[in-house]
Every structure is written in C-alpha cells, then in structure tokens.
Amino acid sequence: MVRNYKKKTSRGDWSEESMKDAVKNVIEGKTGYKLAAKSFSVPQTTLERKVKLARESLDKNDRMTVKFKTSGKNNKRHPFNNEKEEAGKDWALGFLKRHPELSIRQPESTSSARAAGFNKQVVDQFFNFLGNVYDEHHLTPDRIYICDETGISVVPKTKSKIIARKGRKQVGAITSAERGTTITVEICFSASGNFMPPMMVYPRKRMDPQLMINAAPGAWGVYSDSGWMTSELFLDWFKKFVKFSGATPEHSVLLLLDGHSTHTKNIDLINEARTHGVIILCFPPHTTHRLQVADVAYMRPLSTYYDHQIMAWLCSNPGMTVTVRQVAEIFGKAFIQASTMSTAVNGFKKCGIWPYDPTVFSETDFAPSLMTDIQLNVSDAPASDNSSLIMESSSTEPATNNQNAPIISEAISVAATLTDAAVTPVTVETETLSRLDTAASISASTSLSTNLVTALTVLPNTMSTPEPGCSYWLDNSDLHERPRTPQQSIFGVVSPQQIMPFPATTKTSRSTRKRGKTAVITSSPYKNELEETIKKKEQAEEDKQRKKGLRELKKSEKDPATKKKRVTKKKQGAKNRSLNENSDSDIENTPCLYCKGLYLDSNEGWAAC
C-alpha cells in the first residue's frame, strides 16, 4: 500500500444520517431512488442495497433497521482488518503523525516485584521520613550522601556501538574472556557533587598491594571469599565515610542506602552511626530503580565509560587480555570521567531527594502497580450509614455539570434522611418523559422540595456515559488547547483503560518471611527491634544445636556397637579400681572439684595439677 495516500474521489463521503433519511423516504413511498439519492447526496446503488436490506429486516422484525459497517467498543467506522481485529502499519504511522507528542520507545525490563513495590503509598511513606529528617536536622546538600554497590569485571556489561557494513549478520568485538571475575565497588557521593574515593572488593584470600597500582586517587582495595560486600567490610568502609563527610553529633549527616542485609542487619554499623551523628535512611524494597540516585543517574554512564576504557586498553595492547591486575587502573579512569558534579546534582533532583520534591512522580509512574491492587468486596468494607454510602458512591462519578452539584448533593442528603432502609441501586431512564414522570410521582408522594425534583431531573444527564470519540478530534497545531479529560472535550471520550483495562491480580497468601521496609535505621525503635530479632535468632540457633545433640545421643544409645564399647569401658574401669585398692589401700578417695564425684567411683582417668 502506498504510504501517505491522499484520496482523489468523493466515494464514501456520504453520512450515515443522510443514508438513513433517504432509505426512510424510499420505503415510505415519498420519493424514488433517483430523487432520494440526489436530494440526500448519497449513491443510488448503495441506496438500493440499503433499502433492500431494510425491507428484509422490516418483514422479519416489524422494525426497519439500516446497518452500517462498524466495529470496536467506540462504534466508529474504521478501515481495520475485521478478521485479525487489529489495525495495520499505515494506521499506526498515521496515528503517530497526528500525535507528535507520542513516540516509539524501547522499554526497560521491570520485574513484577518492582512493579508492585513501587506504589504511591510506599513512596509517600519514604518521603515523609525524608521530610521529617530535613526538618529536624536542617540538612544542606553537602550533608546528604548516597551509597551503592556495583559489580565490574574484565568483561564489561555494556557494549558500545560500532560502524559496520550493511548486510553483515554478525559484528563481533574482542573481549578478555567469556566470563570474567566480579569485583564489587562501593560508590558514594553527595547532593552537592562531592564524590568519595571508591572501595574495591576482590575475591581473594589475602590482599595483594599490586592490584591497586594506578588506581583512582584515594581508592583502596579489600578482599572477601566471594568478592561481595560483607557486614565487616561495610563497617570498615563506614568508618572511613565518617572521616570523609566530617560527621559529628553536632553536625549530622544523612546517608541513603538500600535494604541489603549488610546495611540494615548490622548492629555494629548502627552503633557506630549513632556515635558519630550519621542518620541512615533505608529505601523501600524494590524501589531503587526510581529512588536510588546512583541507579538512576550514575551507574549507566560509569558502565559506558568503563567499556570505553576496556576497548582502549585492548587496542593499545594487541594480543593481551585484561586481568584483575589491570581492573583498578582502568576503572579509575572511568570513575574520573563519570564522577561529575552535574551528574550528582541532576540525579538527586530527578529522584526528588534534593531539592525535596515528594510530587516528582506522577500517576503514570505508579501505573504498573495498579495490577496488584486488591479490590475490597462489599462485605469487607466497613459498615456506615446510608448517607455516607450514597455520598461515597456518588463522588466516584465524573461531574459533567458543576452547576448541578449543590442541587444533587442536597437531593441526596434529603433522600438519605427520609429512609432508614438499605440503599439499593436505582435504574434511571434517560428519556425526558420518563424523567419528568418519575420526578412528578416522587414530588406528589413525598412532597419533596423543588430542588429534589430538579436534581432527580438532571441526575440522569450527569450520570450518563458520554458518547465515544475518535483520535482526530482537534488539529495538532493547538496541542496546548487539546482536552485532557472527558469534561473538557465537546466529543465523547472512551478511555484506553475502558477498552483494555489493567490486568488485576487475585489476593494470595503471603509467605511468612518478613519483608524489608523503609525506615531510619539509626533510630531507637529500629535499633531495639533489630536487637530483639538478633537475640531471638541466637536463641533459636542454640535450641537447634541442643536438639541436635539430644538426637545424636539417643541415636548412639540405640547403636549396638556404641553400647558394647561402653560396657567394655565400664568393666575396664572396675578392674583398675580393684587393682588400685589391692596395691594401695591407703589412697584417698578424693572428690571432684566440679561434679563432686568420688575418684574411686569414676571410670575415667584423672589428671592432677
């Protein structure tokens, strides 16, 4: 099909209303086909076909029906494929052309846990904690820090684009290995753009100073068995952070971090932070892709620059591969490139942390979490009086006429006071005659006020569903004047959510595992709760070891070989005692200092100091 095709004929330009009037005149015998087609500007052959179909429907149902080709929930004529029930590529291109504010984007992968975790209630709770900390300590940007871990390897995760000839199926690039060793790097910077030197965690048994040759200024290296962060290593890093930030009890500093166990389950870290005046605020679970400044603004450019430095090193050293001994030097160059003040400042602003902006996220940002909203049943809702039920249900309907709102509110209030019975749904007809009859009968029987009659008369109009619209309701030149809600448009609008609603999940039982939460982990309630949790965990471990010992003891008692060995040992002890009594009858029967048992009654050998 030709793209951007412009119609050259007037075929199909007639309206449905004109065709209906022409069909009606022909069937009633007022005019013939030719005169009706000319009078109503419709094609005569199409008119003859419509008249034939209308007469057939009139013979079957005693009712004239003129059918037109419509499809979809909006009941609009369209050139879509009825068999596939979908639009084609031409319509999609035309739709994007009519709406220049839309574009085709490559979506980022978001897990269902992140989609459900990033919801308005959780984010509002985090910003409430953050706002309270700001108000209490009067923090400035140079006293607000954020830290996060990232993994680097001799094989970078991000690959830069290259220029290649068209038609080539595969374009390769040299790497140092198929799969490299992961090295953890601790990143920290402030809202004013002050970056702390990174700490690098190598997967080793002991540290080699040569690994940090030509590293970033101030960077240092540590080691762990897996190359991951541990509670002990993070505590060591935190002690250096206190010196770097200059935190004191009189000059408090805020540190934002994620809910990893090395951060939130580290009681030594909490005690160290409380001693030096560091306030630690933890992000809610599964929200770091939007709230963690390092993930939002810093990690991607750092990974890109690291890949550039890897490729530059390989080009400068042909035939050689990158090993862990070159990682610190290569990463140091990438760290210097990525650690700019503008990146830090814009990242904090993007997440709404500084300047403080709890409204930085719109309803669209929370849309993925709507699929996990659990709808309450009527039986689950709290009981209330009739008036509150009526007002709550009426508030969910869109008000198309604001002038009638006071009248409707007064009518609902009067109706609620006149009855104590249960509220039942009432079906109101939309025809004018039916509305007037209903209003008149209610007025005569209950002697309601004039406002109530008026409200019942206009209520159906305010609650009626608007007529569906289409995608070309306004010219694109007036984008700022385009209506954003059904109340602002002269056309009826059907929301995309009505045509294809969000898939809703069902209520399921949660696991017994305790989920993380956003909290100021240096506060006394969190510290006390963590100490209690650690105490219970230690007690459970002791009980587990004690039960394990009892099980092994019972198992050994049932084992015949163990029982035979015990009997033999007992006989040997008795024989030794008899020999001692015969050889030296004057030996003292000394009691034990601990168990108070007598020496001659024991079957074990004793040792004297």
Side-chain angles (χ1 to χ4, degrees):
M1 180 178 179
V2 180
R3 303 285 184 251
N4 301 323
Y5 175 76
K6 294 182 179 180
K7 193 175 180 181
K8 299 179 181 179
T9 64
S10 59
R11 182 177 179 180
D13 290 342
W14 47 270
S15 64
E16 296 180 1
E17 295 297 330
S18 300
M19 181 61 71
K20 289 181 181 179
D21 294 339
V23 171
K24 184 177 180 181
N25 285 357
V26 173
I27 291 180
E28 292 177 354
K30 295 180 180 180
T31 58
Y33 288 110
K34 186 174 182 180
L35 182 57
K38 185 176 181 181
S39 300
F40 293 97
S41 302
V42 295
Q44 182 176 343
T45 54
T46 306
L47 175 62
E48 294 175 358
R49 186 173 67 255
K50 298 293 183 183
V51 169
K52 181 180 179 181
L53 295 175
R55 284 173 174 168
E56 292 177 356
S57 64
L58 185 62
D59 295 338
K60 294 180 180 179
N61 306 323
D62 294 335
R63 182 179 179 182
M64 184 185 69
T65 303
V66 182
K67 296 182 179 181
F68 298 94
K69 182 180 178 181
T70 59
S71 181
K73 197 166 185 176
N74 282 345
N75 291 326
K76 295 294 180 181
R77 299 183 65 184
H78 60 75
F80 300 165
N81 191 320
N82 290 329
E83 296 179 357
K84 295 182 179 180
E85 296 183 352
E86 61 183 16
K89 185 177 181 180
D90 294 293
W91 181 89
L93 294 176
F95 181 80
L96 292 175
K97 187 176 181 180
R98 293 191 298 272
H99 298 271
E101 71 274 14
L102 302 179
S103 63
I104 299 177
R105 303 285 298 275
Q106 182 72 25
E108 296 183 5
S109 298
T110 304
S111 64
S112 54
R114 289 187 179 274
F118 188 77
N119 56 76
K120 186 171 178 59
Q121 290 74 19
V122 171
V123 174
D124 288 346
Q125 184 183 16
F126 167 76
F127 277 106
N128 288 337
F129 281 125
L130 185 64
N132 294 336
V133 172
Y134 286 166
D135 295 339
E136 181 179 356
H137 299 277
H138 307 287
L139 298 177
T140 54
D142 59 313
R143 296 161 58 192
I144 303 173
Y145 286 85
I146 196 164
C147 72
D148 194 17
E149 294 86 13
T150 185
I152 60 174
S153 173
V154 296
V155 181
K157 297 176 290 185
T158 305
K159 281 294 178 186
S160 304
K161 294 183 179 181
I162 61 174
I163 299 176
R165 185 181 295 276
K166 289 185 177 180
R168 292 197 61 178
K169 300 298 182 182
Q170 293 181 344
V171 179
I174 298 296
T175 59
S176 299
E178 294 290 338
R179 185 177 179 181
T181 304
T182 301
I183 301 170
T184 303
V185 181
E186 184 73 29
I187 302 294
C188 178
F189 55 92
S190 69
S192 61
N194 189 16
F195 284 80
M196 179 178 175
M199 181 183 74
M200 306 181 68
V201 184
Y202 289 88
R204 298 175 64 86
K205 293 294 184 180
R206 56 181 179 272
M207 190 60 192
D208 185 0
Q210 295 182 0
L211 295 175
M212 299 302 296
I213 295 177
N214 297 328
W220 75 99
V222 293
Y223 63 93
S224 67
D225 294 340
S226 61
W228 297 348
M229 183 64 68
T230 62
S231 300
E232 295 76 12
L233 292 178
F234 189 77
L235 180 61
D236 294 339
W237 174 89
F238 182 79
K239 293 177 179 179
K240 293 195 175 185
F241 166 77
V242 171
K243 297 180 181 179
F244 175 81
S245 61
T248 61
E250 298 78 17
H251 191 266
S252 300
V253 170
L254 173 62
L255 179 62
L256 300 166
L257 40 72
D258 55 37
H260 195 266
S261 60
T262 58
H263 307 157
T264 59
K265 307 298 181 184
N266 195 340
I267 191 67
D268 295 331
L269 171 69
I270 295 176
N271 293 331
E272 188 75 15
R274 290 165 63 94
T275 302
H276 294 89
V278 179
I279 307 146
I280 302 179
L281 177 58
C282 173
F283 290 112
H286 307 300
T287 59
T288 54
H289 63 295
R290 290 299 186 92
L291 293 175
Q292 173 63 275
V293 179
D295 290 341
V296 172
Y298 183 75
M299 293 304 181
R300 186 57 185 266
L302 177 64
S303 179
T304 302
Y305 288 132
Y306 181 68
D307 173 67
H308 292 173
Q309 293 297 330
I310 287 281
M311 296 301 298
W313 192 93
L314 291 175
C315 293
S316 302
N317 301 272
M320 299 179 63
T321 58
V322 178
T323 64
V324 291
R325 296 187 177 277
Q326 289 84 36
V327 168
E329 177 183 359
I330 297 174
F331 176 79
K333 297 178 180 179
F335 177 78
I336 295 173
Q337 282 185 290
S339 303
T340 61
M341 182 181 292
S342 60
T343 300
V345 172
N346 293 332
F348 274 88
K349 183 178 180 181
K350 178 71 174 179
C351 297
I353 296 177
W354 188 269
Y356 179 70
D357 185 8
T359 62
V360 66
F361 301 107
S362 62
E363 296 296 333
T364 306
D365 299 322
F366 300 118
S369 64
L370 297 178
M371 61 179 294
T372 57
D373 288 347
I374 306 298
Q375 298 293 335
L376 293 176
N377 298 326
V378 178
S379 59
D380 297 336
S384 58
D385 58 347
N386 295 338
S387 60
S388 61
L389 283 174
I390 296 175
M391 293 300 294
E392 184 177 358
S393 61
S394 63
S395 63
T396 58
E397 296 294 336
T400 56
N401 191 348
N402 295 332
Q403 296 177 355
N404 297 325
I407 301 176
I408 297 172
S409 177
E410 181 181 353
I412 293 175
S413 302
V414 174
T417 58
L418 290 176
T419 178
D420 294 330
V423 179
T424 57
V426 179
T427 304
V428 186
E429 299 294 332
T430 56
E431 288 78 1
T432 305
L433 181 60
S434 178
R435 293 201 308 272
L436 293 176
D437 292 342
T438 303
S441 61
I442 294 177
S443 177
S445 60
T446 60
S447 301
L448 294 177
S449 63
T450 307
N451 287 342
L452 176 60
V453 179
T454 307
L456 293 175
T457 305
V458 301
L459 186 59
N461 286 335
T462 62
M463 299 178 63
S464 60
T465 303
E467 183 182 356
C470 56
S471 64
Y472 52 85
W473 53 11
L474 280 182
D475 194 321
N476 287 321
S477 60
D478 300 327
L479 292 179
H480 62 284
E481 299 178 359
R482 178 172 296 174
R484 301 298 180 183
T485 62
Q487 292 77 19
Q488 298 174 352
S489 174
I490 59 176
F491 297 96
V493 178
V494 170
S495 169
Q497 187 176 359
Q498 293 176 286
I499 299 175
M500 185 178 293
F502 292 111
T505 184
T506 56
K507 188 175 182 180
T508 57
S509 59
R510 292 187 176 181
S511 60
T512 57
R513 179 183 176 186
K514 188 176 181 180
R515 295 185 60 190
K517 60 182 180 180
T518 177
V520 180
I521 67 176
T522 50
S523 61
S524 297
Y526 185 92
K527 180 177 180 292
N528 297 336
E529 181 182 356
L530 179 60
E531 290 177 344
E532 186 68 22
T533 302
I534 294 175
K535 187 181 297 183
K536 290 181 180 179
K537 188 175 180 180
E538 292 176 351
Q539 184 64 33
E541 187 65 25
E542 291 179 1
D543 294 341
K544 182 179 178 181
Q545 294 297 333
R546 181 175 57 82
K547 292 179 180 179
K548 182 179 179 181
L550 292 176
R551 286 196 302 267
E552 292 179 352
L553 181 60
K554 291 181 180 180
K555 185 178 179 181
S556 63
E557 290 177 351
K558 295 180 180 179
D559 190 0
T562 307
K563 188 180 295 184
K564 183 177 179 181
K565 186 183 297 183
R566 185 177 302 167
V567 172
T568 304
K569 189 174 182 180
K570 190 173 183 180
K571 290 181 178 180
Q572 184 66 28
K575 185 178 180 180
N576 293 336
R577 284 196 301 271
S578 62
L579 292 174
N580 291 334
E581 289 176 358
N582 294 332
S583 60
D584 189 4
S585 57
D586 297 334
I587 188 170
E588 186 180 4
N589 196 10
T590 307
C592 179
L593 297 176
Y594 297 96
C595 65
K596 305 302 180 182
L598 299 178
Y599 173 78
L600 296 179
D601 296 337
S602 175
N603 58 357
E604 298 177 355
W606 285 28
C609 296

